[in-house]
Amino acid sequence: MIVQNIEAIRKHEGLRLVAYLDSVGVWTIGYGDTGPDVVKGLTITKAQAEERLRKRLREFEGYVNRTVKVKLTQNQFDALVSLVY
């Protein structure tokens, strides 16, 4: 199963093209993406933010697909992936 409602994640996270410290002090960029490559001063394009989002969603979809052993509706699946994201 793959996430269908990406727009909800985009809307919830918002788009920031310059790295910023989030509310818990973690460097963040794009649509709420974090990681060792997100550092102070990093700037990306909207296209790069979109690619980062899709890459992370694929990763988290895999986690949910491997871990959850009950049948989920699409909305339930999307919500779980969004929580992991």
Side-chain angles (χ1 to χ4, degrees):
M1 192 173 268
I2 61 170
V3 169
Q4 297 295 313
N5 196 357
I6 296 173
E7 188 55 39
I9 294 170
R10 286 187 195 107
K11 185 176 179 179
H12 174 75
E13 292 292 341
L15 175 60
R16 308 255 314 251
L17 299 177
V18 177
Y20 64 97
L21 284 174
D22 69 7
S23 61
V24 295
V26 175
W27 285 104
T28 306
I29 200 162
Y31 295 103
D33 194 26
T34 62
D37 65 325
V38 182
V39 295
K40 181 178 181 179
L42 178 64
T43 301
I44 61 173
T45 65
K46 187 173 180 180
Q48 289 170 317
E50 185 67 26
E51 179 54 34
R52 291 178 77 98
L53 172 63
R54 291 184 179 277
K55 179 181 177 187
R56 297 290 279 187
L57 286 178
R58 284 190 300 271
E59 178 184 348
F60 297 140
E61 288 165 351
Y63 295 152
V64 173
N65 282 325
R66 286 188 303 276
T67 305
V68 176
K69 302 302 179 191
V70 298
K71 185 174 172 110
L72 299 171
T73 67
Q74 186 66 54
N75 287 341
Q76 290 169 327
F77 179 81
D78 289 3
L80 286 174
V81 171
S82 180
L83 284 173
V84 176
Y85 186 84

